Amino acid sequence: MQPPVAAIGEYVFKKDGKEVKSEKYLTPQDGYEYVSYRIVNEDEIKPKITDYAVTDTDGNDITQSTFSGNKLFFVIVDINKASTKHVDEIRNLIQSTDKDVDAYIITSSSAEDTERFRHENQIPVPYYFVDATVLKTIIRSNPGICLWKDGTVLGNWHHNDTPTGDEVRSLLNK
């Protein structure tokens, strides 16, 4: 995920025996001697979720690919406790946005349980694995729906409020 605030840096230089602080790099040609550099707003730029990792069924890390492009995640923390009340709306959303987003299930359940769930509910998307605590940090609903564009969260929905394809496209085009 992208940090909401840009990093602000501070350079420290020496000139004529005095310490000089600046947000810009000052050149030796102007008499400045570089001493150090630090980020002054480090607490503001740290990601909210620091242990986010996504793996495929073979255990390969695909985390970085989730930050690229348009992604529609169906977050299902526990497949065995997931509500299926709105699975028709979820299927319609997947079908109506298949050209606009890459849709995935991300879960902490086993591959066997996830595969069974996908087939029983006719949800034709790939699935990946994420730690349960991280999934609960992303969204509390089981299932929950998340729309990301290049790692930026554009929308989170409880399965009771499944968006339409038009709503998703509208958010992507803002």
Side-chain angles (χ1 to χ4, degrees):
M1 303 176 116
Q2 296 177 349
V5 176
I8 299 172
E10 178 182 75
Y11 292 94
V12 178
F13 300 91
K14 277 189 180 178
K15 183 175 181 177
D16 300 327
K18 294 182 182 175
E19 190 175 274
V20 177
K21 294 181 180 181
S22 172
E23 288 185 16
K24 296 180 180 173
Y25 186 82
L26 304 174
T27 65
Q29 292 90 337
D30 292 329
Y32 294 96
E33 178 186 341
Y34 173 81
V35 175
S36 66
Y37 177 82
R38 72 180 184 100
I39 303 292
V40 295
N41 65 337
E42 198 166 330
D43 288 344
E44 296 175 28
I45 64 169
K46 286 183 183 174
K48 304 292 185 232
I49 302 172
T50 58
D51 51 355
Y52 174 74
V54 183
T55 57
D56 65 15
T57 55
D58 296 324
N60 299 311
D61 185 346
I62 63 143
T63 306
Q64 285 306 310
S65 68
T66 66
F67 297 126
S68 176
N70 300 331
K71 306 292 188 221
L72 189 62
F73 295 113
F74 299 95
V75 179
I76 307 176
V77 177
D78 184 344
I79 291 285
N80 296 313
K81 295 180 181 177
S83 173
T84 57
K85 290 179 188 174
H86 301 279
V87 75
D88 290 336
E89 290 97 331
I90 290 172
R91 258 195 314 273
N92 289 339
L93 176 60
I94 292 167
Q95 290 172 350
S96 68
T97 59
D98 68 341
K99 291 177 177 53
D100 304 301
V101 298
D102 297 324
Y104 305 109
I105 291 173
I106 54 176
T107 185
S108 62
S109 296
S110 71
E112 296 81 21
D113 287 345
T114 305
E115 194 64 35
R116 177 187 45 77
F117 180 87
R118 278 180 354 113
H119 288 291
E120 285 175 2
N121 294 288
Q122 297 296 303
I123 301 177
V125 298
Y127 58 93
Y128 299 102
F129 304 102
V130 178
D131 177 76
T133 303
V134 172
L135 291 176
K136 289 176 192 174
T137 303
I138 294 171
I139 193 165
R140 298 295 292 182
S141 177
N142 191 32
I145 303 161
C146 303
L147 177 64
W148 293 5
K149 182 175 184 172
D150 296 325
T152 299
V153 177
L154 299 181
N156 281 343
W157 297 271
H158 187 281
H159 63 88
N160 290 339
D161 301 315
T162 301
T164 64
D166 288 339
E167 288 174 89
V168 166
R169 280 186 289 282
S170 173
L171 289 169
L172 290 170
N173 293 323
K174 282 187 175 180

